[in-house]
Amino acid sequence: MNLDLTEEHELVRRTVREFATERVAPVAAELDRDGRFPYELVAELADLGLMGMPIPEEYGGGGTDTLAYAIAIEELTRVDSSVAITVAAHTSLGTMPIFLFGSEEQKREWLPSLASGERLAAFGLTEPGAGSDAGATRTRAELRDGSWIVNGAKIFITNAGTDISACVTITALTGDGEISNLIVPNDAPGYEISAPMHKLGWRASDTRELSFRDCAVPEGNLLGPRGEGFKQFLEILDGGRISVAAMGVGLAQGAYDLAFAYAKEREQFGRPIASFQAIQFRLADMATEIEAGRALVYKAAWLKDQGRPFAKEAAMAKLYTGELSHRVANWALQIHGGYGYMDESAISRLYRDQKILEIGEGTNEVQRMVIAKHLGL
Ligand SMILES: Cc1cc2nc3c(=O)[nH]c(=O)nc-3n(C[C@H](O)[C@H](O)[C@H](O)COP(=O)(O)OP(=O)(O)OC[C@H]3O[C@@H](n4cnc5c(N)ncnc54)[C@H](O)[C@@H]3O)c2cc1C
């Protein structure tokens, strides 16, 4: 057993940490305050080859393993969750379905511009009436004269409405109890995208409601065999959970770093608050839990890279890091006292950005359901 990261993985960490510190950190608060999508940063991430890391080079991606990708997402989230989720949703949810289930023709059509980061892709699974029960999709697609005619709605969809969004892969009923995935191009007639939704956190990321009114999608945009949509989206979610779990570790690490620095600098009762044992114990607990969470995430990524089953470990990593980031963000803000509650303090943004990590890509309860199923319950 060797727990050392390879030189390549260390290089990914150093590169992304440098980018996050030098390019993202100075603008993160402003992007959050203005709810402005980070187009300039996405272009820079694309130049660095970070918008399609696990997609093979022949399709314009970085050809890295899942572990390298998880490390990159962790490092971005340490500084800013909006930028991190933009990359993670684009890669794991938007691009991956086309790579995993697309025909060679579909891959050649879509992947080069997506994996290079020139365009963005989204995954539209959630509906107003189908959240945790994602299979309860009501959106319908009917084959008529060589086109899928789509009617229905999706909600809370990441990356669907930016100026550079190319497409959304949606789940739709193509028959009774038959779910299929369809790639809907952003310019499809009858496809309407709402204004950006207002959120507690992830304010610089793009979240939209989508509606389809007799929306015509070319017949050839069916992804994989008809009726495979349910199986496909479960597989997509399994992989996506590793990146959201990496966000949990990254957010917790960022919150810890802020709390550590503040505790050393802030003086009360004539000495730095870091000299009080109560604060030291909090920081010790935080550091310990972060280490445990990181080990879970890297193990899930490693299993995936070995081609071994990883769904249970991905759900465990997502569950644990979701709850861990909650505890750590809360303690980190507590260590900041009243200053942490002010908008201008970075910890308040991390605190707001944290909550969604226990909801998106399957709630904590859904992760427990997935884990229990794998345990044979
Ligand atoms: C900012 C943001 C971005 C998102 N991005 C995307 C995206 O890009 N694509 C996409 O498809 N979706 C996206 N989502 C949707 C997200 O995945 C869903 O919000 C999530 O799956 C939960 O569904 P819901 O909100 O309908 O909650 P519900 O399913 O209504 O759940 C409400 C509560 O009930 C609990 N619950 C439900 N069923 C059970 C049960 N059987 N046992 C116990 N408890 C249960 C839940 O755990 C939760 O606490 C995003 C959401 C947000 C907020």
Side-chain angles (χ1 to χ4, degrees):
M1 187 175 189
N2 179 4
L3 290 174
D4 278 332
L5 292 178
T6 62
E7 184 45 42
E8 205 175 285
H9 292 126
E10 293 291 3
L11 179 65
V12 167
R13 187 186 296 288
R14 278 198 304 275
T15 307
V16 182
R17 182 172 293 188
E18 196 180 305
F19 175 79
T21 310
E22 288 177 9
R23 308 295 303 157
V24 183
V27 294
E30 184 194 323
L31 290 169
D32 175 75
R33 192 177 54 240
D34 300 345
R36 190 166 63 76
F37 187 79
Y39 287 105
E40 308 81 357
L41 294 175
V42 169
E44 290 185 47
L45 284 158
D47 287 344
L48 283 172
L50 297 174
M51 294 304 289
M53 289 179 71
I55 305 296
E57 286 171 25
E58 60 169 312
Y59 297 114
T64 73
D65 58 14
T66 313
L67 182 55
Y69 168 55
I71 291 170
I73 296 298
E74 175 190 339
E75 289 298 328
L76 287 174
T77 317
R78 193 166 157 255
V79 169
D80 184 55
S81 290
S82 289
V83 171
I85 187 57
T86 300
V87 179
H90 166 68
T91 307
S92 293
L93 301 180
T95 311
M96 204 46 95
I98 301 176
F99 171 62
L100 287 179
F101 312 120
S103 63
E104 195 52 37
E105 199 185 333
Q106 288 169 331
K107 289 187 202 180
R108 298 270 165 220
E109 179 182 354
W110 296 100
L111 292 182
S113 63
L114 298 179
S116 64
E118 194 189 316
R119 309 290 305 270
L120 291 178
F123 187 54
L125 173 66
T126 307
E127 298 188 2
S132 300
D133 186 9
T137 182
R138 290 233 204 111
T139 297
R140 289 196 160 269
E142 210 183 303
L143 202 50
R144 261 188 251 154
D145 306 324
S147 293
W148 292 100
I149 306 299
V150 185
N151 281 286
K154 299 287 173 181
I155 195 165
F156 309 140
I157 308 306
T158 306
N159 284 341
T162 71
D163 296 347
I164 54 171
S165 297
C167 61
V168 58
T169 296
I170 59 161
T171 49
L173 284 168
T174 44
D176 278 346
E178 179 191 272
I179 297 179
S180 305
N181 279 321
L182 293 173
I183 307 169
V184 182
N186 266 48
D187 60 3
Y191 173 25
E192 284 169 28
I193 303 172
S194 77
M197 301 179 85
H198 297 286
K199 312 187 284 290
L200 174 70
W202 285 6
R203 288 190 169 164
S205 85
D206 183 78
T207 312
R208 311 273 183 158
E209 290 181 73
L210 316 179
S211 58
F212 307 92
R213 293 196 184 94
D214 286 329
C215 169
V217 176
E219 183 176 2
N221 283 24
L222 178 73
L223 201 54
R226 186 171 170 163
E228 290 284 297
F230 192 81
K231 220 174 94 202
Q232 289 175 350
F233 83 64
L234 289 182
E235 195 176 328
I236 290 301
L237 294 180
D238 285 341
R241 276 175 193 142
I242 297 176
S243 57
V244 180
M247 290 188 71
V249 174
L251 188 133
Q253 184 68 55
Y256 168 87
D257 292 345
L258 291 171
F260 183 90
Y262 188 80
K264 292 210 143 203
E265 166 206 314
R266 173 70 172 168
E267 293 195 2
Q268 285 295 281
F269 300 96
R271 50 194 173 124
I273 59 170
S275 69
F276 301 125
Q277 199 176 44
I279 303 278
Q280 291 176 1
F281 279 13
R282 270 290 178 240
L283 288 165
D285 285 352
M286 288 154 82
T288 306
E289 290 204 30
I290 291 167
E291 204 59 36
R294 184 173 287 123
L296 280 174
V297 177
Y298 290 7
K299 181 173 176 196
W302 177 82
L303 283 170
K304 185 168 190 288
D305 288 334
Q306 302 301 309
R308 308 233 304 252
F310 66 93
K312 180 182 73 179
E313 287 76 9
M316 286 175 164
K318 159 75 168 71
L319 171 63
Y320 186 77
T321 57
E323 296 189 344
L324 146 78
S325 57
H326 185 123
R327 288 190 291 277
V328 172
N330 187 39
W331 291 334
L333 196 148
Q334 191 70 17
I335 288 173
H336 281 76
Y339 295 93
Y341 198 68
M342 297 299 116
D343 274 347
E344 59 266 29
S345 82
I347 190 63
S348 72
R349 175 169 47 85
L350 269 68
Y351 184 85
R352 284 188 288 102
D353 282 341
Q354 184 283 322
K355 187 60 209 174
I356 183 62
L357 298 176
E358 300 179 82
I359 297 170
E361 207 72 43
T363 62
N364 291 349
E365 292 72 29
V366 165
Q367 305 311 318
R368 288 190 167 89
M369 284 157 62
V370 171
I371 296 163
K373 201 165 159 226
H374 280 284
L375 296 177
L377 296 165

